Amino acid sequence: MATHSPNNVQQPLSREAKSLGFFLLACFALVLAGAFAIIAPPSSIRATEGEAQIIFGADRSKIFLSGQCVNATWDVNNIRAVYINGQPTTGSAGQLVCLTAEPETLPTLKVILNDDTPHEYHLNILIVTRSPIFWFLVVLAGLFALGSIVMRLAPRLHRIWMVLRPPVQMVERVVILAAIIGLALELGLRFYLSNFGTEQERVAYLYSAAEIAAKPSRFLPMPYVSYVPSPNFEGHDQLGYRGAGVQIPKPDNVFRIVTLGGSTTYSSSTSADEAYPAQLQKVLRDEYGYASVEVVNGGVPGYTSWDTFVNYALRGVELQPDLLIIYDGINDIEPRAADPDCYRGLNPYRGINPYRGLWQPAPSLSPSTLYRLVGIHFGWVPDPSTVSGSFDYYLRTCSFDDANIKDNPPVYFERNLRSIIAIAHADHTQVLLSSWTYDQTRESPDVPPTWQAAIIEQNELVHDLATEYDLPYYDLAATGLGNTSTFWADPIHMSAAGTLEQAHQYAAYIDEQQLIP
């Protein structure tokens, strides 16, 4: 019988040898990741379009982080015009182009040929930290490194595990229980929102960014006025005004009231039929017999007096209002928090955000309804159903501090109101000014003491303007409406009960002052 010598039996690799092997594999994966990130040959495009010759390139084809820049150069001839990233330029030049993750920020050259035919060329610059290949290599290196450590420390890890095993098992049970509860909440929320939630709630918590983008938007980008409510959106008419359709030109037998302001006029916390302008029309018709009166809701969430003035000058006058009601103020306080040099210095900003109103793509949204509900509630997730979720509100060129408000008087609020009044008077339109109020039954970070003082100051200004121009003035803030908690959906916006009370008070004043023939 044949026998085998023990010396011929293959011995298993030692832990040290396995550890060394994993370490070398980790180093190799890191070298590959580094080479992928560092090796970035120039990127170039050469094209011929008829008689035109186009050469377009960049000094490298990769950047490591979003926001880094490449040197783009171009040389074109026999063309009518040339643009780099939308800006006109010369036929042969260079420019530093900084990239973000969106495709539209990639270096783009547009040429207009002599026959007016446009052509666009895009340089595909890769952002390394957004590449799956780079992160695959990094993770692979991490796994190999972890394997090397485990092989080296296996005996010690076993002893440590025996000590930690009971608490780890307890944590494991808690995690499993939390996962089960979280899954149940996730499924329950999805079922409830899908079957019983409002469209705004579905946008906030349920729909993906692609689904939101495919739906009619509540707001529409608009030159000169930043944005307006979208026509024919739920609750909007064909011109974007909230409520029933508005006829232009105005019918001869209609007395038209147009209300101006921000979200507290638009009434963000109620349905269109429960907004105070709609309630006011119903009260004036049903309780006072003004059958020919029509109230148009001209409020737009987020509007300051700058927006309201320009919107009225460009769009509101075509409504041919007989009476304007201006209920505005809260949104003008934020610009007053800018540093004084920015608010009223010799610069073009005057506290206004130059980026505000630029239409932004839908943000990246978590697929988890539960996560979005918690994140939106605590503020770390933007709410895609609101203006603040769709627009960039933060002025990048000024510093903001509420302590600045007392040093920045409402000079632009006053100027914009005077401009609205002047245009209205030129069109023989009566103006009713109203003080602005808020929920005073509870403290809220939305209306801190500095803002409360600013509201009083701006209300006094509104009263003074009414006196100066001999305008009807209704002091809504003095009626106690802000002292009844049931009238408020949040610290700034009224509930349906509050908007109805506001409508009743305005209607009584309008009738008493005989503002409607």
Side-chain angles (χ1 to χ4, degrees), residues 482-501:
N483 297 322
T484 305
S485 60
T486 56
F487 287 159
W488 298 94
D490 62 47
I492 294 173
H493 303 95
M494 294 184 197
S495 64
T499 56
L500 178 60
E501 177 62 23

Side-chain angles (χ1 to χ4, degrees), residues 407-420:
D407 298 321
N408 292 327
V411 290
Y412 307 112
F413 182 62
E414 176 183 357
R415 181 184 300 174
N416 294 329
L417 289 181
R418 287 184 183 275
S419 298
I420 294 172

Side-chain angles (χ1 to χ4, degrees), residues 127-149:
I127 300 175
V128 172
T129 53
R130 294 183 178 270
S131 169
I133 296 176
F134 173 77
W135 287 112
F136 171 77
L137 293 173
V138 170
V139 170
L140 191 64
L143 291 176
F144 284 138
L146 180 63
S148 175
I149 294 172

